[in-house]
Amino acid sequence: MLIPVVLLCLVFSSTIFAAEGGSAKWNKNSEGTIVVSSGTFEGNGKKYGKIGSGSQDEDQPPVFELMPGAYLNDVVIVPPSGDGIHVHGNNKVSNVTFTDVGEDAISMRSTFEGGTVIIENCSFSKGEDKILQANRTAVWYIKNCKVNGAGKVFRQNGGKTFKLDVYIDGLEARNFGEAIVRSDASACTVYYRNLNASGNKWKGKLSARQWDGKQPPPPTLPEQKTKTVSPFAKANNDSKVTITDVLLNAHYLNTDQVQMYDISGRMISNVHSDRSKPAMLYLMKIKDHHRCEVIVNLHK
Ligand code: ADA
Ligand code: CA
Ligand code: CA
C-alpha cells in the first residue's frame, strides 16, 4: 500500500530556484543547507560547503540534505564541510569530491525509513573519523570511490543492531586508522570486490564476503517518484497550518522563525536538540511571510 509521508518543508522568503540544480527542486534553509527535495541536483562541478566549523562537533548543519529519492551529482565540497551530506534513503551521490571532510561526509539520518544509497565516483580526503555513517537500516552501494584519510570509512555505531548491507565495488582507501567498515551488528553484511586498501579491513561483528558483482545482484534504486503537490500553501502572519501525520525533519527549522505545537497544543521548543529524531508536527504557526511546501513522497 502506498502510504504517503508528508513532509513539511519551509521555504524562506528569499528562496532561489536557480538554473543550477537541473531537474531538482531545492531550497536553502536558514542554516545555508541546500535541501534537495526531489529530482537530481546537478552541480556542474561547482564548489559548495563553507558551513559549520569543519571540526568533529556534532550538530553542525549539512551542506546538502537529500530528501528521500533525491540525487546529487557533480559538486566539490570545500571546507568547512560541516556535517557533509545527509541522505534519507533511495538517494544517489555521484561525482562528488570532498577536499576536506568535516564531522563526517555522508550520513543516513534516522528520520525516514531508510532505503538504498548509491555512492559512485566520489572521493573523500582528510577525514578525521568517519566518512560514511549509517544510522538507519539500509543498503549502501559504494562504487569506484577513493578515501584518503579517515578513522573508518563506514561506521554503524556500537550498540546498534539494525540490518545493513554494504556493497563495495571499487574502493581505494589510504591513510585510515581503524578499518574500512566498523560495526558491532551481526546483521551487517559487507559484500566486496575491487578493494584496494592498505590497512585493517573490518572491525566488529559484521560479516564480510567476497562478491562477484552478480550474486547477490548489485543494488538498484527505485524510479525517482518524489512529487511535489500543492506547490505552495501560503501562510501569513497568523495562519496555522493543520496537517495530520506530518513527519518533520526537525533540524530544518529555526525556532526563531517558526513556532510549533504538538497535538495537545503544547509548544515544542528546542527542536535542534536531537537531530536524529523526527518531531511529529500537527500545528504550525509561521511568522511573517514564510511559505510552506508540502511534499508527498510516493516511495512510502
Ligand atoms: C554520532 C551520534 C549519532 C549520529 C552520528 C552521525 O555517532 O552518536 O547519533 O548523529 O554521530 O551521524 O554523525
Ligand atoms: Ca558523528
Ligand atoms: Ca555527522
Side-chain angles (χ1 to χ4, degrees), residues 4-251:
V5 167
V6 181
L7 168 81
L8 203 73
C9 168
L10 294 179
V11 181
F12 294 97
S13 40
S14 59
T15 301
I16 329 136
F17 286 96
E20 156 188 55
S23 59
K25 189 136 179 48
W26 62 278
N27 63 67
K28 259 190 191 189
N29 73 12
S30 56
E31 295 177 314
T33 299
I34 295 171
V35 181
V36 186
S37 49
S38 64
T40 302
F41 186 100
E42 293 287 353
N44 301 312
K46 274 184 68 176
K47 290 179 180 156
Y48 294 90
K50 299 192 176 162
I51 208 168
S53 61
S55 71
Q56 285 298 302
D57 289 349
E58 302 287 345
D59 286 333
Q60 296 175 64
V63 183
F64 283 96
E65 179 91 46
L66 305 184
M67 299 317 294
Y71 296 5
L72 173 65
N73 183 46
D74 199 14
V75 297
V76 178
I77 306 223
V78 294
S81 328
D83 209 40
I85 300 168
H86 285 181
V87 295
H88 292 279
N90 298 331
N91 305 107
K92 184 149 126 182
V93 178
S94 50
N95 304 301
V96 171
T97 301
F98 275 82
T99 62
D100 189 344
V101 173
E103 202 279 314
D104 50 27
I106 303 179
S107 59
M108 180 178 279
R109 315 316 305 165
S110 53
T111 316
F112 294 95
E113 286 164 30
T116 297
V117 180
I118 297 184
I119 300 169
E120 197 171 3
N121 301 326
C122 294
S123 83
F124 308 90
S125 297
K126 296 189 186 167
E128 278 179 48
D129 186 17
K130 304 163 235 190
I131 303 294
L132 310 173
Q133 162 92 31
N135 298 311
R136 186 75 161 161
T137 296
V139 175
W140 291 68
Y141 187 9
I142 302 156
K143 219 174 151 184
N144 299 326
C145 290
K146 285 186 182 167
V147 173
N148 189 354
K152 40 256 168 197
V153 176
F154 188 98
R155 174 64 160 148
Q156 175 176 25
N157 278 3
K160 301 291 181 193
T161 54
F162 57 82
K163 186 171 159 51
L164 277 180
D165 289 317
V166 184
Y167 291 77
I168 299 174
D169 185 358
L171 174 65
E172 193 186 301
R174 304 263 162 256
N175 301 314
F176 58 94
E178 281 185 64
I180 299 284
V181 179
R182 180 167 176 194
S183 165
D184 293 332
S186 50
C188 173
T189 310
V190 180
Y191 302 92
Y192 68 97
R193 68 200 296 248
N194 302 320
L195 178 58
N196 182 349
S198 53
N200 189 27
K201 293 188 178 71
W202 325 118
K203 189 166 177 183
K205 293 191 190 140
L206 61 119
S207 52
R209 301 177 194 165
Q210 290 263 10
W211 182 41
D212 65 3
K214 294 182 188 126
Q215 266 323 313
T220 53
L221 287 163
E223 201 191 325
Q224 277 183 300
K225 272 186 182 159
T226 306
K227 163 178 155 198
T228 303
V229 292
S230 151
F232 293 103
K234 264 213 173 134
N236 60 33
N237 236 1
D238 267 309
S239 64
K240 282 180 178 171
V241 184
T242 307
I243 300 169
T244 50
D245 296 331
V246 171
L247 248 186
L248 173 74
N249 192 358
H251 67 279

Side-chain angles (χ1 to χ4, degrees), residues 237-270:
N237 236 1
D238 267 309
S239 64
K240 282 180 178 171
V241 184
T242 307
I243 300 169
T244 50
D245 296 331
V246 171
L247 248 186
L248 173 74
N249 192 358
H251 67 279
Y252 285 8
L253 298 179
N254 178 338
T255 38
D256 296 330
Q257 288 154 319
V258 176
Q259 292 162 355
M260 296 193 298
Y261 304 84
D262 69 13
I263 200 158
S264 63
R266 200 164 46 108
M267 194 165 153
I268 304 168
S269 56
N270 205 14

